[in-house]
Amino acid sequence: MDLAGKLLQLTLSGLAMGTIYGIVGMGFNIIYNATGVINFAQGEFVMLGGLIAVSLVAVHVPLAVAVVVAALIVAAVGLLLERLAVRPVSGQSVISMITITIGASMLLRGVAKLLWGPNAQKLPAFSGDEIIRVGPAALESQEIWIAGTALIIVIATQVFFNYTVAGKAMRACAINKAAARLAGVNVERMTLLAFALSAGISGLAGVVLTPKTLMRSSSGAPLAVKGFCAAIVGGLGNGIGAVVGGALIGVLESLGAGLISSGYKDAFALLILMVVLFVRPSGILGRNTDREGL
């Protein structure tokens, strides 16, 4: 394969992985806009989605059903996290709430290790091991599933936030909670919905990601770091920005690993984050006043 073909191959592979980072980043943004808190258990939602789907398929649940059920179970975990851990300390300092999400992350990781063990778990590829040719590049069919799922999630969330009553109410909470409450919006319910939505889409991302990378109880933390970087690079609080940031990180990470060394792969996300923060502290699509859009 010539250099142009290799660059195309690395770019497409990076885009597929970057969309996962973008979805995780969107999860960060949804909760941040609703509560002002960075939820560091976000990566564990992805991990749980993948592992739950593995268990469901292992007991002969049809794959399509397993995908939906896994996402719903993770959404329920998000509901419990908000109801049992976050809401009781509502009104406390942001540092306190962030500390709680870190504790929740460690708890979820520990429970997952207890249930599934430390080893990587495998989920069959949705369309088998078929290879799809795109010019000189070759893509795994699962990478198409990942990109397609990410596109559907982005469109669905944009429709939800812009054209539904609940979505508009959540946006109102993001802009000004006090004004939203005066307008009759149930802020507590919107916060609960934000955790469920964020956990559900992250769980779905975990399901489609598992056939490509495998999933283990320790997979959540690195995904959370990449997703957080995507959210910051794109502009904290901006959903589309998170997708753009994730795609940028995924592509540059793939190019760096393929052209320089895979040993530095994880360092590229942090390097990109530092460069963007130095050049444009509000992120690529961020504004001076954040929390303006989901």
Side-chain angles (χ1 to χ4, degrees):
M1 184 183 294
D2 59 15
L3 180 59
K6 186 175 182 180
L7 289 175
L8 179 61
Q9 174 75 59
L10 293 171
T11 299
L12 293 177
S13 297
L15 275 175
M17 198 63 204
T19 56
I20 294 295
Y21 302 154
I23 293 173
V24 179
M26 286 182 67
F28 273 106
N29 283 334
I30 290 171
I31 292 180
Y32 173 76
N33 279 315
T35 66
V37 171
I38 301 296
N39 173 31
F40 282 100
Q42 202 65 42
E44 314 311 327
F45 294 153
V46 182
M47 174 268 292
L48 284 176
L51 292 180
I52 290 171
V54 168
S55 294
L56 292 172
V57 171
V59 295
H60 307 297
V61 174
L63 181 59
V65 177
V67 171
V68 176
V69 173
L72 291 176
I73 291 175
V74 178
V77 173
L79 282 174
L80 290 174
L81 175 63
E82 194 280 337
R83 195 67 185 85
L84 301 178
V86 175
R87 186 173 298 187
V89 295
S90 178
Q92 300 296 318
S93 68
V94 172
I95 295 297
S96 298
M97 299 185 74
I98 288 176
T99 303
I100 286 174
T101 67
I102 293 174
S105 169
M106 296 172 67
L107 174 64
L108 292 174
R109 194 181 315 146
V111 171
K113 188 174 182 180
L114 186 65
L115 294 176
W116 288 281
N119 298 325
Q121 304 292 324
K122 183 179 180 181
L123 186 67
F126 293 4
S127 303
D129 298 323
E130 183 182 354
I131 298 298
I132 298 172
R133 306 294 306 187
V134 181
L139 287 177
E140 300 174 18
S141 60
Q142 192 61 33
E143 292 177 321
I144 303 298
W145 276 101
I146 292 173
T149 302
L151 180 62
I152 291 172
I153 289 175
V154 170
I155 293 173
T157 52
Q158 290 304 307
V159 169
F160 173 76
F161 285 119
N162 290 294
Y163 299 102
T164 68
V165 174
K168 291 178 180 178
M170 198 178 292
R171 291 181 66 195
C173 293
I175 296 169
N176 190 317
K177 283 185 180 179
R181 197 186 299 276
L182 288 173
V185 175
N186 188 325
V187 175
E188 288 74 21
R189 184 176 298 173
M190 291 301 108
T191 301
L192 193 65
L193 180 60
F195 269 84
L197 181 61
S198 174
I201 65 173
S202 295
L204 182 57
V207 178
V208 296
L209 178 63
T210 300
K212 176 175 173 56
T213 64
L214 306 183
M215 192 64 73
R216 66 184 75 214
S217 57
S218 59
S219 298
L223 286 169
V225 171
K226 301 289 180 62
F228 179 66
C229 289
I232 297 296
V233 168
L236 189 59
N238 189 309
I240 298 298
V243 177
V244 173
L248 178 63
I249 290 173
V251 169
L252 294 182
E253 183 181 79
S254 178
L255 290 173
L259 301 177
I260 301 175
S261 170
S262 59
Y264 299 111
K265 180 180 177 182
D266 292 335
F268 284 106
L270 297 176
L271 179 62
I272 296 166
L273 175 63
M274 292 172 62
V275 170
V276 170
L277 288 179
F278 181 76
V279 176
R280 186 175 170 80
S282 59
I284 296 173
L285 298 183
R287 300 180 182 178
N288 291 329
T289 54
D290 52 16
R291 290 203 249 176
E292 291 185 353
L294 292 163

